[in-house]
Amino acid sequence: RKEVEQDPGPFNVPEGATVAFNCTYSNSASQSFFWYRQDCRKEPKLLMSVYSSGNEDGRFTAQLNRASQYISLLIRDSKLSDSATYLCVVPNAGGTSYGKLTFGQGTILTVHP
Amino acid sequence: DVKVTQSSRYLVKRTGEKVFLECVQDMDHENMFWYRQDPGLGLRLIYFSYDVKMKEKGDIPEGYSVSREKKERFSLILESASTNQTSMYLCASSTPGGNTGELFFGEGSRLTVL
């Protein structure tokens, strides 16, 4: 299993739809997880953190399943502005160095009118 | 707001040239990172540093070196650029903490090696 692996996408959804992305990770010792958002031709920015079973922030919900070693990101009532690449991130996924993060390859979301 | 500034947004270099990519952060962060981002491969860690003059290899350090002489500045060096180093290079910084997940990225430097 890759250290961090995401649904490849792309996901094309209409406005108002609910969409979910999954991400699997290999290091069972990982304690925290993150979703980043990257707009086209921009740098990645932190969207949400997940430290326990889940986290909710408005239309966005991140859930963690430790037994199956995956995290998910759910977006409800999609907006055009949600179009971006969503990156799953796991700290120290390689089990080595301090402060190191491993990024998934990203899932592209396009929300259309 | 945290500011991470990369010196060049776009560079075009020739094979064999030495390339310097500079990164400066203004939030007194201990940790600094260099990633490259390629389509289908995501972000891959080249090198990182958790203190002045300290550096550690990431996942793909071959063909690169780094320098951290001052806390706010982290430089990536390509000693002899090759075409397979054409990529988007992203610098980031963060505060210490084994589970710290927030990296602050610069806008990126798109390097083309001809």
Side-chain angles (χ1 to χ4, degrees), chain A residues 7 11 13 17-23 35 61 71-76 78 107 109:
Chain A
D7 281 347
F11 287 73
V13 303
T18 295
V19 62
F21 313 133
N22 287 329
C23 169
W35 284 100
T61 300
I71 58 174
S72 62
L73 178 67
L74 181 78
I75 305 175
R76 290 181 297 276
S78 299
T107 300
L109 171 66

Side-chain angles (χ1 to χ4, degrees), chain A residues 3-55:
Chain A
E3 288 186 46
V4 181
E5 193 161 13
Q6 294 184 238
D7 281 347
F11 287 73
N12 294 292
V13 303
E15 274 186 290
T18 295
V19 62
F21 313 133
N22 287 329
C23 169
T24 58
Y25 61 94
S26 62
N27 184 6
S28 59
S30 296
Q31 294 297 310
S32 53
F33 307 86
F34 307 90
W35 284 100
Y36 274 67
R37 170 193 169 125
Q38 185 174 21
D39 293 319
C40 187
R41 300 184 185 282
K42 296 285 190 180
E43 71 274 21
K45 292 184 180 178
L46 180 66
L47 176 66
M48 294 186 73
S49 307
V50 187
Y51 295 105
S52 56
S53 61
N55 187 18

Side-chain angles (χ1 to χ4, degrees), chain B residues 26-106:
Chain B
D26 66 0
M27 281 302 291
D28 202 35
H29 284 167
E30 280 78 3
N31 301 333
M32 295 189 75
F33 306 81
W34 275 106
Y35 287 85
R36 64 177 283 177
Q37 186 172 28
D38 301 285
L41 297 176
L43 278 81
R44 292 179 291 165
L45 182 62
I46 303 171
Y47 267 97
F48 70 104
S49 168
Y50 53 87
D51 202 352
V52 176
K53 296 191 186 294
M54 305 299 289
K55 59 185 179 183
E56 283 205 26
K57 293 180 180 179
D59 300 315
I60 51 164
E62 297 78 19
Y64 303 94
S65 61
V66 290
S67 172
R68 185 124 183 245
E69 296 296 319
K70 294 184 178 181
K71 190 175 185 180
E72 68 271 18
R73 187 180 298 269
F74 192 35
S75 302
L76 180 69
I77 303 149
L78 288 67
E79 293 289 341
S80 177
S82 62
T83 54
N84 63 12
Q85 292 179 309
T86 292
S87 186
M88 170 66 84
Y89 290 88
L90 288 160
C91 174
S93 71
S94 74
T95 54
N99 286 323
T100 297
E102 186 157 23
L103 292 184
F104 295 90
F105 284 90

Side-chain angles (χ1 to χ4, degrees), chain A residues 73-91:
Chain A
L73 178 67
L74 181 78
I75 305 175
R76 290 181 297 276
D77 189 24
S78 299
K79 310 292 184 190
L80 296 176
S81 57
D82 293 334
S83 298
T85 298
Y86 291 85
L87 303 167
C88 172
V89 182
V90 180

